[in-house]
Amino acid sequence: MEKQSDTTGITKSYMEKILEQRQGFIIIALTGKARAGTSDVSKLLTEENFCNWVVKPADTATITMSEARERNICYRYLNHNWRPFIEINVVDVIFSFLIETDVANLRNFFGSVMLDTDILGTIVEEELKNSAFENAVLSRLEKINNNINISCNKVWDKIRQCCKKILNKIDTLEILIEEWKNQVEELNKNNYMSYEMLCWCHGIIPVLNARLEYKLKESNDGCYIKLYQELGNNLRAYGVAVLGEQQSFNADGIFSIPRRVNKFLKILRHYNSLENEKAVAGRKSNSLRIVINNLKNIFEAFYFRCRYSSFYLMAVDCDEREREDKFGGNVQYRQVELNENLSQGKRIFKRAEKYLDERHVNRNNKSQCQEIIKVAQAFNKEEKAFLIDLYSQKESLRLECYKNNYSDFILQDVVRCIENSDLFLKRDYREDYTRDHALICALGRMVTLMMHPGLLTPTKIERCMQIAMTAKLNSGCLSRQVGAVITDKEYNILSIGWNDAPCGDESCIRRNMFELFQNHDEEAYSEFEKYNPEFREYLKKIEEKFNKTGKEKLRGLPFAFCFKDVYQDIIKQKDQIYTRA
């Protein structure tokens, strides 16, 4: 019997090690439109007692018995395995790039966005010597310490002493920038070992940025969102937050934000591994769970998907009327919406360009562009505000991105992030986030499945969406793949479908422009494409550009093309009415 007991214990330890691979490291990245509720979801995930909130409602009339049983499963599992997430906010990471800037450039930058050119210097001088600031930093670090559960008190004492030493040293903006630049050098060397690094990246920078947010919102509520939209765009375009005299586009900048988020994340992983080395009996599990708040560009999510199998992109949405109320005005709401919705912003820009072309307006004369748009009947009040801002000197990057088709890589595109998310949540602003029961239960269910896949089966709607997501992969459309499922009222599946060329025609993804040039594989192309004189003349112009060197640049990839895009370029029309799908 004793031997059998030992065998059971060994088997259990092996199973625990296997499950640790799922439970040990989870990254959730939150995306959503401004003020849609991502911060509330982040607060829930970082809450110590969140697991206690995932219970079935007192009034079970609103849910089925099957749903009530499922919530009980989530509640029991989370109570045994819950560990709060640690937040890395993207705006804090962007702020870390901001304070790498030389003092003079930094003050010029703030002068361009608001009246107070030395707002950050004032915060440093007034706040950093304040005991409340120090307490806020230490409180944040202590919460991280408790989540990571460092069992050695000497380690926490050293972190606390290190933090106080840094804060005592910094009394001007110049010293702040100089000290942070030293830390950036260590970050670039992938040195995550120092206590200073933890204090800076997960204590001082987030609290300092929170103070800046408070000051900016106090003076101008919309200024803070616009400021960080501009800084994020600059980083993706040039790799720096604040531009100098001359700045050229740098493709490496597209990953500057996620790379630094990843460095902040690795600091936490280092301290978590430090705890594992000092593990004691009865300690919590050695899991580390990260929530990245405010991801706004799909390629930033792509960066993490390529690196971590345990990465999940979670979209947070709410009722649009509730979100509009949060802005307190339709104009500001629409401006932020157009800055985050890339396709909608581009459409309005193209309408504006056509309107200005018809009136022969010189684009270099920004003030003339603005004056023409101000009196234009073709645009509503919100569109005018967006365009007047666009045709100003300070929005030159956004304007250049729209003109040269760089926008997908550089600008925020929250709608695309939402479309490509793995998980979806709905925030109900009629309730405080701690009492938004539908949100809490949905979030608890998702985290449970991340830690233990298969513990719960998909809901009826999830099952249909899963099939629709698989069905869309059959589409050969180059611009957008869409899958669909038709069900009855009980969600029994009746049929599935996807967008593609008509039956008997070849999908665009398998058609090659080079074959069309030479009239090879005639079955794949229409009579119009093969013989229309105007269309063939346009193809010759394309062929001249893609000589032998052009083919080599494709590196073996097919020169797939969209008939709609080619034909609409010929007739100079942008309405999507000539699609093959």
Side-chain angles (χ1 to χ4, degrees), residues 140-151:
R140 185 181 177 88
L141 290 170
E142 187 175 19
K143 186 175 181 180
I144 290 171
N145 174 68
N146 291 338
N147 287 352
I148 291 178
N149 195 33
I150 295 175
S151 55

Side-chain angles (χ1 to χ4, degrees), residues 281-293:
R283 65 179 288 268
K284 292 180 183 178
S285 66
N286 60 0
S287 58
L288 179 64
R289 293 158 194 173
I290 308 292
V291 53
I292 302 169
N293 193 10

Side-chain angles (χ1 to χ4, degrees), residues 364-391:
N364 294 324
N365 190 336
K366 299 285 182 67
S367 59
Q368 187 182 5
C369 291
Q370 291 175 321
E371 290 302 317
I372 294 291
I373 288 166
K374 275 182 186 177
V375 296
Q377 298 294 317
F379 307 99
N380 61 35
K381 184 170 63 174
E382 294 78 25
E383 290 171 344
K384 284 181 182 179
F386 170 74
L387 290 169
I388 289 167
D389 198 29
L390 183 64
Y391 286 100

